PDB file of all heavy atoms in Angstrom:
ATOM      1  N   TYR A 177       0.480   2.232  -0.754  1.00  0.00           N
ATOM      2  CA  TYR A 177       1.188   3.511  -0.826  1.00  0.00           C
ATOM      3  C   TYR A 177       0.278   4.610  -0.282  1.00  0.00           C
ATOM      4  O   TYR A 177      -0.907   4.654  -0.606  1.00  0.00           O
ATOM      5  CB  TYR A 177       1.566   3.836  -2.270  1.00  0.00           C
ATOM      6  CG  TYR A 177       2.586   2.882  -2.829  1.00  0.00           C
ATOM      7  CD1 TYR A 177       2.203   1.700  -3.457  1.00  0.00           C
ATOM      8  CD2 TYR A 177       3.938   3.152  -2.723  1.00  0.00           C
ATOM      9  CE1 TYR A 177       3.144   0.825  -3.960  1.00  0.00           C
ATOM     10  CE2 TYR A 177       4.890   2.285  -3.223  1.00  0.00           C
ATOM     11  CZ  TYR A 177       4.481   1.124  -3.840  1.00  0.00           C
ATOM     12  OH  TYR A 177       5.416   0.251  -4.334  1.00  0.00           O
ATOM     13  N   VAL A 178       0.853   5.461   0.534  1.00  0.00           N
ATOM     14  CA  VAL A 178       0.119   6.592   1.093  1.00  0.00           C
ATOM     15  C   VAL A 178       0.798   7.873   0.629  1.00  0.00           C
ATOM     16  O   VAL A 178       1.980   8.081   0.893  1.00  0.00           O
ATOM     17  CB  VAL A 178       0.079   6.535   2.638  1.00  0.00           C
ATOM     18  CG1 VAL A 178      -0.609   7.762   3.200  1.00  0.00           C
ATOM     19  CG2 VAL A 178      -0.614   5.269   3.099  1.00  0.00           C
ATOM     20  N   SER A 179       0.048   8.685  -0.081  1.00  0.00           N
ATOM     21  CA  SER A 179       0.585   9.971  -0.527  1.00  0.00           C
ATOM     22  C   SER A 179       0.085  11.050   0.429  1.00  0.00           C
ATOM     23  O   SER A 179      -1.054  11.026   0.884  1.00  0.00           O
ATOM     24  CB  SER A 179       0.188  10.272  -1.960  1.00  0.00           C
ATOM     25  OG  SER A 179      -1.196  10.189  -2.142  1.00  0.00           O
ATOM     26  N   VAL A 180       0.984  11.983   0.719  1.00  0.00           N
ATOM     27  CA  VAL A 180       0.688  13.046   1.674  1.00  0.00           C
ATOM     28  C   VAL A 180       0.940  14.387   1.005  1.00  0.00           C
ATOM     29  O   VAL A 180       1.969  14.581   0.358  1.00  0.00           O
ATOM     30  CB  VAL A 180       1.574  12.910   2.933  1.00  0.00           C
ATOM     31  CG1 VAL A 180       1.316  14.056   3.899  1.00  0.00           C
ATOM     32  CG2 VAL A 180       1.355  11.571   3.599  1.00  0.00           C
ATOM     33  N   PHE A 211     -12.388  13.170  -3.954  1.00  0.00           N
ATOM     34  CA  PHE A 211     -11.199  12.344  -4.155  1.00  0.00           C
ATOM     35  C   PHE A 211     -11.070  11.168  -3.192  1.00  0.00           C
ATOM     36  O   PHE A 211     -10.072  10.468  -3.215  1.00  0.00           O
ATOM     37  CB  PHE A 211      -9.942  13.211  -4.052  1.00  0.00           C
ATOM     38  CG  PHE A 211      -9.854  14.242  -5.131  1.00  0.00           C
ATOM     39  CD1 PHE A 211     -10.230  15.553  -4.895  1.00  0.00           C
ATOM     40  CD2 PHE A 211      -9.411  13.902  -6.393  1.00  0.00           C
ATOM     41  CE1 PHE A 211     -10.154  16.509  -5.894  1.00  0.00           C
ATOM     42  CE2 PHE A 211      -9.332  14.845  -7.400  1.00  0.00           C
ATOM     43  CZ  PHE A 211      -9.710  16.154  -7.150  1.00  0.00           C
ATOM     44  N   LYS A 212     -12.042  10.958  -2.336  1.00  0.00           N
ATOM     45  CA  LYS A 212     -11.998   9.850  -1.375  1.00  0.00           C
ATOM     46  C   LYS A 212     -10.687   9.875  -0.583  1.00  0.00           C
ATOM     47  O   LYS A 212      -9.974   8.885  -0.479  1.00  0.00           O
ATOM     48  CB  LYS A 212     -12.158   8.514  -2.074  1.00  0.00           C
ATOM     49  CG  LYS A 212     -13.352   8.408  -2.974  1.00  0.00           C
ATOM     50  CD  LYS A 212     -14.485   7.685  -2.320  1.00  0.00           C
ATOM     51  CE  LYS A 212     -15.617   7.362  -3.259  1.00  0.00           C
ATOM     52  NZ  LYS A 212     -16.414   8.474  -3.669  1.00  0.00           N
ATOM     53  N   SER A 213     -10.375  11.036  -0.052  1.00  0.00           N
ATOM     54  CA  SER A 213      -9.135  11.239   0.694  1.00  0.00           C
ATOM     55  C   SER A 213      -9.475  11.732   2.094  1.00  0.00           C
ATOM     56  O   SER A 213     -10.638  11.908   2.433  1.00  0.00           O
ATOM     57  CB  SER A 213      -8.256  12.262  -0.034  1.00  0.00           C
ATOM     58  OG  SER A 213      -8.952  13.471  -0.182  1.00  0.00           O
ATOM     59  N   LEU A 214      -8.463  11.975   2.894  1.00  0.00           N
ATOM     60  CA  LEU A 214      -8.640  12.458   4.256  1.00  0.00           C
ATOM     61  C   LEU A 214      -7.958  13.817   4.380  1.00  0.00           C
ATOM     62  O   LEU A 214      -6.797  13.970   3.985  1.00  0.00           O
ATOM     63  CB  LEU A 214      -8.021  11.474   5.242  1.00  0.00           C
ATOM     64  CG  LEU A 214      -8.120  11.838   6.717  1.00  0.00           C
ATOM     65  CD1 LEU A 214      -9.576  11.822   7.180  1.00  0.00           C
ATOM     66  CD2 LEU A 214      -7.303  10.882   7.554  1.00  0.00           C
ATOM     67  N   ILE A 231      -3.323  16.407   3.710  1.00  0.00           N
ATOM     68  CA  ILE A 231      -4.244  15.615   2.900  1.00  0.00           C
ATOM     69  C   ILE A 231      -3.575  14.287   2.606  1.00  0.00           C
ATOM     70  O   ILE A 231      -2.423  14.237   2.165  1.00  0.00           O
ATOM     71  CB  ILE A 231      -4.595  16.346   1.594  1.00  0.00           C
ATOM     72  CG1 ILE A 231      -5.207  17.717   1.915  1.00  0.00           C
ATOM     73  CG2 ILE A 231      -5.532  15.510   0.736  1.00  0.00           C
ATOM     74  CD1 ILE A 231      -5.385  18.624   0.735  1.00  0.00           C
ATOM     75  N   ILE A 232      -4.310  13.209   2.851  1.00  0.00           N
ATOM     76  CA  ILE A 232      -3.759  11.861   2.711  1.00  0.00           C
ATOM     77  C   ILE A 232      -4.619  11.061   1.739  1.00  0.00           C
ATOM     78  O   ILE A 232      -5.853  11.112   1.795  1.00  0.00           O
ATOM     79  CB  ILE A 232      -3.720  11.146   4.073  1.00  0.00           C
ATOM     80  CG1 ILE A 232      -2.833  11.922   5.032  1.00  0.00           C
ATOM     81  CG2 ILE A 232      -3.247   9.713   3.924  1.00  0.00           C
ATOM     82  CD1 ILE A 232      -2.925  11.437   6.447  1.00  0.00           C
ATOM     83  N   TYR A 233      -3.944  10.324   0.877  1.00  0.00           N
ATOM     84  CA  TYR A 233      -4.635   9.441  -0.062  1.00  0.00           C
ATOM     85  C   TYR A 233      -3.890   8.103  -0.097  1.00  0.00           C
ATOM     86  O   TYR A 233      -2.669   8.078  -0.234  1.00  0.00           O
ATOM     87  CB  TYR A 233      -4.668  10.058  -1.472  1.00  0.00           C
ATOM     88  CG  TYR A 233      -5.356   9.187  -2.469  1.00  0.00           C
ATOM     89  CD1 TYR A 233      -6.745   9.140  -2.541  1.00  0.00           C
ATOM     90  CD2 TYR A 233      -4.637   8.381  -3.330  1.00  0.00           C
ATOM     91  CE1 TYR A 233      -7.387   8.334  -3.441  1.00  0.00           C
ATOM     92  CE2 TYR A 233      -5.266   7.551  -4.246  1.00  0.00           C
ATOM     93  CZ  TYR A 233      -6.642   7.537  -4.293  1.00  0.00           C
ATOM     94  OH  TYR A 233      -7.278   6.722  -5.191  1.00  0.00           O
ATOM     95  N   ALA A 234      -4.619   7.013   0.026  1.00  0.00           N
ATOM     96  CA  ALA A 234      -4.014   5.676   0.012  1.00  0.00           C
ATOM     97  C   ALA A 234      -4.369   4.959  -1.285  1.00  0.00           C
ATOM     98  O   ALA A 234      -5.488   5.075  -1.785  1.00  0.00           O
ATOM     99  CB  ALA A 234      -4.501   4.859   1.198  1.00  0.00           C
ATOM    100  N   SER A 235      -3.391   4.212  -1.818  1.00  0.00           N
ATOM    101  CA  SER A 235      -3.595   3.492  -3.069  1.00  0.00           C
ATOM    102  C   SER A 235      -2.747   2.223  -3.072  1.00  0.00           C
ATOM    103  O   SER A 235      -1.769   2.116  -2.338  1.00  0.00           O
ATOM    104  CB  SER A 235      -3.194   4.385  -4.248  1.00  0.00           C
ATOM    105  OG  SER A 235      -3.305   3.690  -5.460  1.00  0.00           O
ATOM    106  N   SER A 240      -0.635   5.593  -8.971  1.00  0.00           N
ATOM    107  CA  SER A 240      -1.974   6.095  -8.644  1.00  0.00           C
ATOM    108  C   SER A 240      -1.919   7.081  -7.477  1.00  0.00           C
ATOM    109  O   SER A 240      -2.598   8.116  -7.494  1.00  0.00           O
ATOM    110  CB  SER A 240      -2.893   4.930  -8.295  1.00  0.00           C
ATOM    111  OG  SER A 240      -4.143   5.406  -7.857  1.00  0.00           O
ATOM    112  N   ALA A 241      -1.116   6.788  -6.481  1.00  0.00           N
ATOM    113  CA  ALA A 241      -0.987   7.674  -5.325  1.00  0.00           C
ATOM    114  C   ALA A 241      -0.419   9.026  -5.737  1.00  0.00           C
ATOM    115  O   ALA A 241      -0.906  10.077  -5.309  1.00  0.00           O
ATOM    116  CB  ALA A 241      -0.105   7.025  -4.257  1.00  0.00           C
ATOM    117  N   GLN A 244      -3.061  10.976  -7.972  1.00  0.00           N
ATOM    118  CA  GLN A 244      -4.219  11.468  -7.220  1.00  0.00           C
ATOM    119  C   GLN A 244      -3.859  12.681  -6.371  1.00  0.00           C
ATOM    120  O   GLN A 244      -4.619  13.644  -6.310  1.00  0.00           O
ATOM    121  CB  GLN A 244      -4.792  10.344  -6.353  1.00  0.00           C
ATOM    122  CG  GLN A 244      -6.193  10.591  -5.912  1.00  0.00           C
ATOM    123  CD  GLN A 244      -7.207  10.550  -7.042  1.00  0.00           C
ATOM    124  OE1 GLN A 244      -6.898  10.325  -8.206  1.00  0.00           O
ATOM    125  NE2 GLN A 244      -8.442  10.795  -6.700  1.00  0.00           N
ATOM    126  N   ILE A 245      -2.715  12.669  -5.719  1.00  0.00           N
ATOM    127  CA  ILE A 245      -2.335  13.804  -4.875  1.00  0.00           C
ATOM    128  C   ILE A 245      -2.055  15.028  -5.748  1.00  0.00           C
ATOM    129  O   ILE A 245      -2.365  16.162  -5.369  1.00  0.00           O
ATOM    130  CB  ILE A 245      -1.165  13.452  -3.927  1.00  0.00           C
ATOM    131  CG1 ILE A 245      -1.285  14.247  -2.625  1.00  0.00           C
ATOM    132  CG2 ILE A 245       0.169  13.672  -4.555  1.00  0.00           C
ATOM    133  CD1 ILE A 245      -2.365  13.827  -1.713  1.00  0.00           C
ATOM    134  N   ILE A 248      -5.435  16.446  -6.665  1.00  0.00           N
ATOM    135  CA  ILE A 248      -6.017  17.172  -5.533  1.00  0.00           C
ATOM    136  C   ILE A 248      -5.449  18.584  -5.464  1.00  0.00           C
ATOM    137  O   ILE A 248      -6.197  19.556  -5.311  1.00  0.00           O
ATOM    138  CB  ILE A 248      -5.789  16.401  -4.218  1.00  0.00           C
ATOM    139  CG1 ILE A 248      -6.617  15.115  -4.206  1.00  0.00           C
ATOM    140  CG2 ILE A 248      -6.130  17.282  -3.013  1.00  0.00           C
ATOM    141  CD1 ILE A 248      -6.289  14.172  -3.069  1.00  0.00           C
TER     142      ILE A 248
END
Side-chain angles (χ1 to χ4, degrees):
Y177 293 88
V178 176
S179 54
V180 177
F211 296 99
K212 308 260 189 288
S213 58
L214 180 66
I231 302 170
I232 299 170
Y233 180 80
S235 177
S240 174
Q244 199 68 1
I245 211 72
I248 291 170

